[in-house]
Amino acid sequence: VVLINADVLSRKVSPKDRNSYPLVGDAASVTVVERRASGESIHANLKMDGRMREALMIPAGGMRMPSNSETAQMEDAGDSNFRAKDHLRMDGSAVFNFVQTEVPPLIETLLETTGVTKEAIDFYLCHQPNQFMLQKLADKMGIPYAKMPMNVVGKYGNSSGVTIPSAIALNLSSSLKKSSLQVVLAGFGVGLTWASMLLKIGPLDFCETIDLPNKANLP
C-alpha cells in the first residue's frame, strides 16, 4: 500500500488572519506499507464529536454552503482579523481545551487495552499545531519532552495531517533505519476528531525529509 498525504493549508487560511496564517505550512508525505508475516498487531482507537465542529472548520466549500463569489468575500472577524467563509476558522481556546481534555484519556485507554505501560513507549508522535499545546499535553500525561518531539511546527509550520509523518522522518530517521521503535501516534483536529495508534515501526529501508525552496523564492 502506498499512502500519500498532502496538505496545502496555506491556500485555505486568510493571509489577514494573524491568529492562524503565521502558523501554517505546506507538506506532503509518502509512506509504503508492506505485509510482514512476523509483524506484530497494530492497535488504534478513533473518536469524533460533530457538536464541536465549529471550533475548527472551513464554513464554505461543502454541499451545505458551496463556494461562490460571496463566500470568497473578506469579512471582519471582530478582532482585527479578516477572513472569508472559504477560509479556515479556528477557536484557539476551544481547540486547546479539547486537546487537553480528550487526548490524554484516549491514549491512556489505548495503553490499558493493550497492556503496555506508558514507560514502555519509545516515542509519542502527536499532531503539531503549536509547541505550547504539546508541552501542556506532555505535562498532563507525565511524558518527558524528549519522548514527544515538538520541533516540526517550529521548523515547517502546522501542515495539518502531515505533521506526524514529518515528526517521524525529522526526528527518528537514523534510528528507524537500524532498528524498530514502539510508538504511539496521536492525531486530532477538524470534526472534531481525535485518534491514537500503538505500533512498532522499523527497521525501515528509507526515512527521509526533503526540503523544498520557499515558494516566495521560486522563479
Side-chain angles (χ1 to χ4, degrees), residues 88-198:
L88 180 74
R89 181 178 68 193
M90 177 175 64
D91 183 338
S93 297
V95 173
F96 178 86
N97 292 334
F98 150 70
V99 171
Q100 303 303 315
T101 301
E102 302 294 348
V103 174
L106 183 80
I107 295 176
E108 290 165 2
T109 299
L110 180 69
L111 295 177
E112 290 173 3
T113 302
T114 57
V116 178
T117 65
K118 182 170 55 178
E119 293 72 23
I121 301 301
D122 296 310
F123 289 95
Y124 293 82
L125 299 150
C126 300
H127 169 51
Q128 297 193 19
N130 62 70
Q131 185 175 347
F132 177 74
M133 182 181 290
L134 291 187
Q135 288 176 340
K136 292 301 180 182
L137 184 60
D139 291 342
K140 187 161 188 176
M141 296 182 62
I143 296 171
Y145 290 175
K147 282 194 170 187
M148 187 180 289
M150 308 177 188
N151 55 347
V152 171
V153 67
K155 188 174 179 65
Y156 299 114
N158 177 0
S159 54
S160 191
V162 192
T163 60
I164 293 177
S166 295
I168 293 173
L170 182 63
N171 295 284
L172 308 180
S173 177
S174 58
S175 298
L176 288 175
K177 290 178 182 177
K178 301 174 183 177
S179 60
S180 64
L181 296 172
Q182 185 163 236
V183 301
V184 166
L185 313 181
F188 40 84
V190 174
L192 295 175
T193 55
W194 58 111
S196 63
M197 181 178 290
L198 170 65

Side-chain angles (χ1 to χ4, degrees), residues 4 18 30 38 55 57 60 65 85 93-94 112 114 126 138 147 155 167 176 181 187 195 197 206 209 212 219:
I4 301 172
R18 297 172 301 170
V30 179
S38 59
M57 68 181 300
M65 186 186 297
K85 290 184 173 63
S93 297
E112 290 173 3
T114 57
C126 300
K147 282 194 170 187
K155 188 174 179 65
L176 288 175
L181 296 172
M197 181 178 290
F206 66 92
T209 300
L212 296 179

Side-chain angles (χ1 to χ4, degrees), residues 1-127:
V1 175
V2 177
L3 176 63
I4 301 172
N5 185 5
D7 270 302
V8 188
L9 200 56
S10 63
R11 296 184 181 180
K12 287 298 183 179
V13 179
S14 168
K16 296 184 178 181
D17 187 343
R18 297 172 301 170
N19 291 336
S20 300
Y21 193 74
L23 301 176
V24 302
D26 300 328
S29 66
V30 179
T31 305
V32 178
V33 184
E34 296 180 322
R35 179 192 298 272
R36 181 184 298 171
S38 59
E40 299 186 29
S41 298
I42 297 174
H43 304 273
N45 51 9
L46 168 67
K47 291 190 176 184
M48 59 188 71
D49 189 347
R51 294 173 299 178
M52 298 187 285
R53 64 189 181 278
E54 293 189 3
L56 183 61
M57 68 181 300
I58 299 175
M63 294 187 66
R64 181 172 296 180
M65 186 186 297
S67 293
N68 54 44
S69 58
E70 293 183 1
T71 63
Q73 295 297 315
M74 287 286 195
E75 301 173 345
D76 187 347
D79 53 0
S80 299
N81 290 302
F82 293 82
R83 56 179 173 262
K85 290 184 173 63
D86 288 332
H87 290 137
L88 180 74
R89 181 178 68 193
M90 177 175 64
D91 183 338
S93 297
V95 173
F96 178 86
N97 292 334
F98 150 70
V99 171
Q100 303 303 315
T101 301
E102 302 294 348
V103 174
L106 183 80
I107 295 176
E108 290 165 2
T109 299
L110 180 69
L111 295 177
E112 290 173 3
T113 302
T114 57
V116 178
T117 65
K118 182 170 55 178
E119 293 72 23
I121 301 301
D122 296 310
F123 289 95
Y124 293 82
L125 299 150
C126 300
H127 169 51

